[in-house]
Amino acid sequence: MTRLPVLCLFSLAVLVLSIGCGGSSENPIKEKSDQYDIHDVDNPIPSSALDVKIEASKTIIKPGEVIELEVKYTQLPETRVLVNWINVTEFGELSETEDGKRTWTAPNNINTLEVIEIINAVVTGISRMISTDGLDTRTQILTETKTILLTVTGT
């Protein structure tokens, strides 16, 4: 009768050893596809890699005129990018269009010959970084701010 429990324990031990206790898999680090290895903690991406530029349909505007603004940047692999627009001097109206561009409408009532409008585009890139051994993970935040000056000429 004692042979059956011993045989069961032995079979259980063989089964556990053959299956294993979990183990680890290899680190799923991708090969470098760009000049920046976003997975390498020791090689962070410089903020300048976003290469942010603001473009405007024109920069000298008449009162009530509408212009288009667009921010352009380099989309880095596996990096989430957020764009925030700031109407610094709060003249006119900054609104969003369907394709992510912005329009800015100059104010109608200008009491002077010229008004300078300052608009900033803050571009933030968020990237997850993993060390080559897979033990160290970090989040890298890249940010770059660009400013555009718009001149509204009075009538």
Side-chain angles (χ1 to χ4, degrees):
M1 228 21 189
T2 59
R3 293 182 95 191
L4 186 59
V6 171
L7 184 59
C8 288
L9 283 175
F10 178 72
S11 298
L12 183 62
V14 169
L15 180 65
V16 167
L17 290 175
S18 67
I19 293 175
C21 297
S24 63
S25 62
E26 288 194 25
N27 187 11
I29 293 180
K30 296 180 182 177
E31 293 181 23
K32 290 184 181 182
S33 60
D34 200 334
Q35 62 180 347
Y36 304 107
D37 182 4
I38 63 168
H39 294 287
D40 187 1
V41 171
D42 298 325
N43 184 23
I45 305 168
S47 287
S48 61
L50 288 170
D51 193 26
V52 177
K53 294 175 180 63
I54 297 179
E55 294 180 357
S57 56
K58 57 199 292 189
T59 56
I60 300 177
I61 305 131
K62 301 275 184 213
E65 192 172 359
V66 177
I67 64 163
E68 289 184 6
L69 300 170
E70 182 178 6
V71 66
K72 293 187 176 186
Y73 55 88
T74 302
Q75 179 64 58
L76 301 171
E78 297 185 36
T79 300
R80 181 174 178 216
V81 177
L82 306 167
V83 178
N84 291 311
W85 292 86
I86 303 168
N87 190 350
V88 177
T89 49
E90 297 182 354
F91 294 122
E93 183 181 328
L94 187 63
S95 62
E96 189 171 347
T97 60
E98 288 181 25
D99 56 359
K101 297 179 184 178
R102 298 289 171 143
T103 59
W104 183 76
T105 306
N108 282 320
N109 53 351
I110 295 180
N111 306 4
T112 183
L113 292 176
E114 261 184 13
V115 172
I116 304 295
E117 170 65 13
I118 301 170
I119 297 179
N120 287 339
V122 181
V123 178
T124 305
I126 303 168
S127 176
R128 185 168 172 220
M129 300 174 63
I130 304 170
S131 63
T132 53
D133 61 6
L135 298 177
D136 189 9
T137 61
R138 298 179 191 169
T139 300
Q140 182 179 9
I141 299 175
L142 312 167
T143 188
E144 194 171 337
T145 303
K146 291 295 180 178
T147 302
I148 190 162
L149 301 175
L150 305 173
T151 304
V152 182
T153 57
T155 53

